[in-house]
Amino acid sequence: MPNRLSDATSPYLLQHADNPVDWWPWGEEAFAEARRRDVPLLLSVGYSACHWCHVMAHESFEDPATADLMNTLFVNVKVDREERPDVDAVYMEATQAMTGQGGWPMTVFATPDGAPFYCGTYFPREHFQRLLQGITSAWRHKRSDLVDQGQRVVDALGAPRRLASSPPPTAADLDLAVQALIRDYDTAAGGYGDEPKFPPSMLLSFLMAQHERTFPFQTADEPTPAALMAGGTAVAMARGGIHDQLGGGFARYSVDREWVVPHFEKMLYDNALLLRAYTRLSRRPAEGDAAADSDRALLLRAAQETADWMLRDLRTPEGGFASALDADSEGEEGTYYVWTPGQLREVLGEEDGAWAAALFDVTEQGTFERGSSVLRLPADPDDPERFDRVRAALLSARADRVPPARDDKVVASWNGLAIAGLAEAGALMGRPEWIAAARVAADLILDVHLRHGRLVRTSRDGRAGPSAGVLEDYANLAEGLLALHGVTGEARYVREAGGLLDTVLDHFGDDEGGFFDTADDAEKLFSRPQDPTDNATPSGRFAAASALLTYAALTGSARHREAAEGALAVVPLLAEKAPRFAGWGLAAGEALLSGPRAVAVVGDTGDPAVEEMVRTVLRWAPLGTVLSRGDGRDSGGVPLLEHRVPIEGKATAYVCEGFTCKLPATTTEELLTQLAG
């Protein structure tokens, strides 16, 4: 019999709608039921692409005996962490405080008022059953101890926290971050840290921006350490198993240092961020260096195939982008993606099969499980045409396998990241269909998620979900809209971004220059989440700073610029202590340091010279440069475009800082000279 999750918009909750567990969705009704029955809450938090969430579901939540214990002894609440990042954040903080670690599935036992008193992650079934009985015994016989423990957690985590702040970051602060990153860099395999190793998506843009500030317009001279770290990491990932060598896109992380075996779930947010990073890393041609040319071609292909994968495998019928693909198919992790030498020969024949096995490092011993291998590309193919033919044949054969399930909820924040990546990549690479897809996604979010200036976080099948938008939703959507304006010239996207950012300033501020992750009128939890550091996505605070800075450059708004500077005041501390978790803030700091510079391109719509100037800005302007375009007749209410007109009817670019502009440039050569100055 279906439980209370059957009407949810979250695919993760719907996965549990037929469990024998009597699940409740998060909400006051569940708390009231726990108070009525005088039993604890059992809070289970996960997400649809989570492998160990599926394991615990199969072992415990689908088991009638375990479900009977849960139903008898607890009120059971299931939460999609992607739909309710605020709930996830406060209980994850409690889990980490109690256990020293965290992860998903997250399992929390709490009082009927929501105070957590025992936390953990995945529990095997027999252990979980014993835990259920042990918690119940303690609740009956030592309740005061559990209640006191829960209250201590609430008091500790709910206490106001002051973040040390300073003036906005200086060049010295940003240079210090690079020196700290050099110490942590894996010179052998790229990236940072040991296993598991995650793509440093937010750092890549910062490193390239830092390189360009200290070494503008790369020549054949020795690249900077920042460029070596960014390029080395991106190349290693693109050649590794974390990168889908057939279908494009990147997995969540690598279980090893060398990027060989991924955790196979593929997330929209990772790929949207990496699309933008790889686009920027590959945007400038090398200067006669064969190795650099080869690496650039690899990075460019990774960006192109990531964009194509997003449109092919994540785009929803309504035009948004789904959240994720599972790690599992047919109940096994990775089976959709891995190959044996025999399977290659079966699809390709003996000769091509052997060639592909050598190229992709598919061995009889295997790099994964049961003699299978994850495809990698340790070296470039010696025959590009054969490479394309072999990949096409393998991709076609793979399509006959059972694919991973898709979480098709649309998250405002992650779609904002996708809009920005597709807009920039589409304009730079001459792919108008990517820009069109970004526009459709933007319009969907604005039509479905936005009501009276306030966002809901998710939708599914064109129907808005129940959860209020959090800071990252407003900030990343604003970022995407501003990037989309830059390549389309549609002024309405600037106006919509301004409305979102006004809501950020009015409802998310902490009165100390920073921001909370939830609005002042959002549901009150035992702690109001406020994390300044990047995680899998940019921190809400740094995402807001980036969008505020761009908006201020377009409009001249002192209020928005001052708010951006205030939000970046924690960057100097993090630059020294934890730069790996402040990449988005460091990148925004580089933009702030450069002005940010803004370029207005004006000319007739459809004029090839205008498009070429836009591409020139995207390719050669320092990262963090703000782009706007218009027809020169109507500014559309965008102050940067006011009084910017084509000179003698020609496509014209105005390179500005603080609305003080250089002489108009009517050729790409003049524009390049000004961008270099």
Side-chain angles (χ1 to χ4, degrees), residues 58 326-337 370 398 400-405:
H58 295 323
D326 277 8
D328 301 1
S329 54
E330 299 183 273
E332 298 286 341
E333 184 181 6
T335 56
Y336 184 72
Y337 298 100
R370 295 186 292 277
R398 195 176 79 176
D400 293 332
R401 298 176 177 180
V402 176

Side-chain angles (χ1 to χ4, degrees), residues 20-21 59-73 125 128-129 132-133:
V21 177
E59 290 180 348
S60 295
F61 305 150
E62 296 171 9
D63 176 56
T66 306
D68 185 59
L69 282 173
M70 294 172 66
N71 295 338
T72 301
L73 304 176
R125 181 168 59 199
F128 189 53
Q129 290 177 346
L132 296 174
Q133 293 166 333

Side-chain angles (χ1 to χ4, degrees), residues 280 360 622:
R280 290 173 166 185
F360 291 122

Side-chain angles (χ1 to χ4, degrees), residues 609-628:
V610 172
E611 303 302 328
E612 181 58 30
M613 281 195 165
V614 167
R615 281 193 293 272
T616 298
V617 173
L618 291 171
R619 177 163 287 121
W620 292 105
L623 292 178
T625 298
V626 175
L627 173 64
S628 184

Side-chain angles (χ1 to χ4, degrees), residues 221-238:
D221 296 337
E222 197 69 22
T224 63
L228 288 172
M229 288 189 289
T233 299
V235 167
M237 287 169 47

Side-chain angles (χ1 to χ4, degrees), residues 482 485 491 494-495 497-498 501-502 547-561 598 626 628 637-642 658-659:
L482 294 173
H485 161 74
V494 178
R495 293 192 294 272
L501 293 173
D502 284 344
L548 287 162
L549 198 58
T550 299
Y551 184 77
L554 288 170
T555 64
S557 169
R559 180 190 185 211
H560 292 81
R561 183 181 176 88
V626 175
S628 184
V638 179
L640 184 64
L641 293 175
E642 291 178 1
F659 282 65

Side-chain angles (χ1 to χ4, degrees), residues 218-220 285-289 292-293 620:
Q218 183 174 354
T219 68
E287 298 288 339
D289 184 324
D293 283 337
W620 292 105

Side-chain angles (χ1 to χ4, degrees), residues 6 21 28 50 62 84 90 95 131 133 154 158 202 240 256 291 325 345 360 417 439 455 495 507 595 598 677:
S6 57
V21 177
E28 177 54 35
C50 166
E62 296 171 9
R84 290 301 303 264
V90 297
T95 299
L131 179 62
Q133 293 166 333
V154 168
M202 283 70 79
D256 56 85
L325 298 183
R345 291 193 298 270
F360 291 122
L417 296 173
R439 182 187 281 112
L455 281 173
R495 293 192 294 272
H507 292 284

